[in-house]
């Protein structure tokens, strides 16, 4: 390692920033071999990265442009060797941009040990409404089945947002509907065109990490508590001091629901329940 | 201010009528962009809450026992003060733990509800409500 804390404290002149050199040794349409050389404390290390394009898909239509790539990456460094596959799927639509990235660690030629998928949806020309899903599978499903399940999961999340009644969350629901559609599309694509690599994935439980999962209950419960608190304080005041009953006038004139939801939203962001 | 039950009933009816009229005529004029204020279901629910609250307070003031009044006052204080106190304590908590687990915030609210109820009980006793 470059330097330990003890050594640094003794004013020794260590080079803690490695000098990195990247050289492309071989490159053609489907294969790239890159050599990464780096120097740390006068020692030179070499890492060879070989990337093979195993499948390439392009589809351009009036509606959207879809591209998909399945790449095998082999990394060799000293006496270490590792291989993984990655599937990149991109959709450029007039209304949204969607990217999906899956990394697969192979166990043997027919089975994957684990997979990790990131799906990102961003509505075109809009900011602040970006939704991100992290999906990890543990059950024995094939790659195409994984995307089918991902689509179903996105559909369920979308339903929750749709029923929320909140306009912002309703907009997010549209994103999840797109995710569902695209995940199913990719599933069929993999099933048809990537049969050879549509292997079984052993590890990983389905984890749908989405900050909005905690956000929705947080906003709704705190909105309800805020409204209940305002009415209760008014009732308590009315019971204790009769002229105080006039507070009800204020509560009905004022858009209490909206105000409480606004407070709850800010509160849930502060607590970290909402992004 | 001590009112007879008849005067109290008239006072509460006037309040309720003004509540209804204000909501129907004043609110949409003050906040024309707020759909909540013209939503018939929300409006009806608001009238129900206000009506039930006034009715319950009237009953407690005229025929309710001190025990019932105490239960009502303590519950309302708990909900009201509990919310305010949980916001204050949540701000302090969030400086140490963030994100604050949602269940922990509800637990905090439950604790603050008890604290608020205790404060309300003290106020109620001091004012001779029960």
């Amino acid at each position: 390692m470059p330097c330990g804390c003890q050594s640094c404290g003794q004013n020794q002149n260590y080079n803690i920033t490695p000098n990195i050199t990247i050289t492309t040794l071989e490159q053609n349409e489907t294969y790239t071999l890159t050599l990464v050389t780096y120097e740390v404390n006068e020692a030179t290390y070499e890492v060879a990265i070989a990337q093979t394009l195993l499948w390439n898909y392009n589809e351009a239509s009036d509606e959207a442009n879809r591209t998909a790539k399945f790449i095998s990456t082999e990394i060799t460094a000293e006496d270490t060797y590792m291989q993984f596959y990655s599937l990149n799927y991109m959709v450029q639509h007039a209304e949204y941009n969607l990217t999906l990235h899956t990394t697969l660690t192979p166990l043997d030629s027919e089975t994957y040990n684990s997979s990790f998928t990131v799906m990102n949806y961003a509505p075109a020309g809009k900011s602040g409404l970006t939704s991100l899903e992290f999906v990890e599978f543990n059950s024995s499903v094939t790659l195409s089945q994984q995307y089918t399940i991902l689509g179903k999961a996105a559909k369920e999340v979308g339903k929750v947002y749709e029923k929320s009644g909140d306009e912002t969350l309703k907009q997010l629901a549209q994103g999840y509907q797109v995710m569902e559609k695209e995940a199913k599309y990719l599933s069929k694509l993999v099933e048809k065109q990537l049969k050879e690599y549509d292997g079984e994935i052993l590890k990983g439980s389905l984890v749908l990490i989405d900050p909005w999962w905690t956000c929705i209950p947080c906003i709704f419960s705190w909105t309800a508590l805020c409204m209940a608190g305002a009415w209760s304080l008014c009732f308590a005041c009315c019971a204790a001091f009769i002229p105080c009953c006039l507070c009800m006038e204020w509560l009905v004139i004022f858009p209490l629901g909206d105000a409480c939801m606004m407070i709850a939203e800010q509160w849930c962001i502060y607590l970290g329940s909402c992004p | 201010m001590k009112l007879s039950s008849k005067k109290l009933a008239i006072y509460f009816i006037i309040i309720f009528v003004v509540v209804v009229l204000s909501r129907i005529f004043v609110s949409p004029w003050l906040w024309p962009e707020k759909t909540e204020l013209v939503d018939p279901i929300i409006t009806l629910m608001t009238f129900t809450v206000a009506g039930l609250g006034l009715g319950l307070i009237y009953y407690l003031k005229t025929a309710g026992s001190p025990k019932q009044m105490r239960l009502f006052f303590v519950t309302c204080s708990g909900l009201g003060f509990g919310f305010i106190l949980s916001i204050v304590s949540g701000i302090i908590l969030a400086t140490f733990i963030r994100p604050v687990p949602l269940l922990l915030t509800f637990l905090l609210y439950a604790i603050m509800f008890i604290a608020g109820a205790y404060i309300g009980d003290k106020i109620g006793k001091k004012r001779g409500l029960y």
Side-chain angles (χ1 to χ4, degrees):
Chain A
M1 290 303 291
C3 89
C5 288
Q6 202 182 358
S7 305
C8 293
Q10 290 164 355
N11 288 331
Q12 291 181 24
N13 191 17
Y14 281 94
N15 179 16
I16 57 164
T17 312
N19 187 11
I20 303 168
T21 315
I22 301 165
T23 319
T24 306
L25 299 175
E26 200 179 330
Q27 191 174 27
N28 59 42
E29 278 184 2
T30 56
Y31 183 77
T32 311
L33 179 63
T34 313
L35 184 71
V36 180
T37 312
Y38 63 96
E39 275 179 42
V40 179
N41 295 335
E42 293 170 3
T44 307
Y45 301 93
E46 282 185 343
V47 178
I49 303 167
Q51 285 191 306
T52 314
L53 180 68
L54 300 169
W55 175 65
N56 192 17
Y57 173 83
N58 286 299
E59 184 208 276
S61 66
D62 294 339
E63 191 195 24
N65 289 335
R66 290 184 172 86
T67 54
K69 279 177 185 176
F70 190 73
I71 298 163
S72 163
T73 306
E74 290 167 272
I75 300 172
T76 315
E78 300 278 313
D79 51 353
T80 312
Y81 171 82
M82 70 174 283
Q83 186 194 14
F84 63 87
Y85 295 100
S86 54
L87 195 149
N88 294 310
Y89 179 65
M90 277 175 69
V91 183
Q92 284 180 303
H93 192 277
E95 290 171 6
Y96 60 85
N97 290 317
L98 184 133
T99 55
L100 183 143
H101 180 84
T102 299
T103 306
L104 297 148
T105 317
L107 187 71
D108 53 53
S109 59
E110 289 174 353
T111 322
Y112 299 108
N113 196 25
S114 64
S115 82
F116 183 72
T117 300
V118 181
M119 194 179 198
N120 193 356
Y121 165 87
K126 287 179 187 174
S127 59
L129 274 174
T130 302
S131 188
L132 188 70
E133 292 295 320
F134 294 92
V135 180
E136 199 179 315
F137 284 79
N138 209 353
S139 54
S140 292
V141 289
T142 63
L143 185 62
S144 58
Q145 284 170 343
Q146 175 182 277
Y147 295 132
T148 307
I149 296 165
L150 172 60
K152 284 176 184 173
K155 189 182 179 181
E156 291 306 313
V157 180
K159 277 182 188 174
V160 176
Y161 292 153
E162 192 68 53
K163 287 175 186 171
S164 70
D166 183 277
E167 286 306 314
T168 312
L169 297 183
K170 274 186 181 177
Q171 285 179 52
L172 270 174
Q174 292 167 9
Y176 282 95
Q177 284 159 12
V178 171
M179 282 192 206
E180 180 207 354
K181 190 184 89 178
E182 293 298 343
K184 282 181 179 173
Y185 188 91
L186 183 62
S187 172
K188 282 178 186 170
L189 206 63
V190 169
E191 203 179 353
K192 282 178 189 171
Q193 296 196 17
L194 206 60
K195 268 183 188 171
E196 200 186 331
Y197 295 99
D198 191 13
E200 204 176 338
I201 301 158
L202 294 181
K203 276 184 195 172
S205 53
L206 172 67
V207 182
L208 197 62
I209 305 164
D210 186 342
W212 289 89
W213 276 112
T214 55
C215 185
I216 297 169
C218 181
I219 288 174
F220 280 86
S221 51
W222 281 99
T223 302
L225 289 173
C226 169
M227 290 176 78
W231 276 103
S232 299
L233 268 184
C234 180
F235 288 156
C237 187
C238 177
F241 187 58
I242 291 296
C244 205
C245 298
L246 288 167
C247 63
M248 281 178 218
E249 302 294 338
W250 288 102
L251 287 179
V252 295
I253 287 178
F254 192 66
L256 186 67
D258 280 3
C260 278
M261 189 167 262
M262 203 174 76
I263 293 167
E265 277 173 9
Q266 293 305 313
W267 179 236
C268 292
I269 291 167
Y270 180 76
L271 290 175
S273 296
C274 290
Chain B
M1 194 162 98
K2 198 85 179 169
L3 292 173
S4 66
S5 56
K6 198 180 171 183
K7 278 181 181 172
L8 191 68
I10 293 165
Y11 178 67
F12 276 7
I13 288 165
I14 292 168
I15 285 180
F16 187 71
V17 171
V18 177
V19 158
V20 172
L21 294 174
S22 306
R23 180 69 180 217
I24 294 169
F25 298 107
V26 183
S27 294
W29 176 71
L30 283 173
W31 286 278
E33 76 285 1
K34 298 285 179 190
T35 50
E36 176 202 341
L37 297 169
V38 287
D39 188 293
I41 298 165
I42 298 172
T43 305
L44 204 67
M45 279 167 70
T46 310
F47 294 158
T48 311
V49 172
L52 281 175
L54 285 168
L56 193 61
I57 295 163
Y58 176 77
Y59 166 78
L60 293 170
K61 284 270 182 196
T62 54
S65 65
K67 209 175 175 180
Q68 286 172 325
M69 177 55 105
R70 188 181 184 187
L71 182 70
F72 176 80
F73 193 75
V74 161
T75 309
C76 286
S77 304
L79 285 167
F81 291 130
F83 177 76
I84 297 163
L85 290 173
S86 55
I87 294 283
V88 174
S89 52
I91 289 168
I92 299 162
L93 184 70
T95 55
F96 300 105
I97 317 161
R98 199 182 282 182
V100 182
L102 199 55
L103 280 174
L104 188 63
T105 65
F106 294 144
L107 182 73
L108 192 70
Y109 178 80
I111 295 163
M112 292 306 143
F113 173 85
I114 296 164
Y118 178 78
I119 295 165
D121 195 33
K122 289 277 172 200
I123 295 168
K125 274 179 186 168
K126 207 170 182 181
R127 280 199 63 86
L129 272 178
Y130 34 81

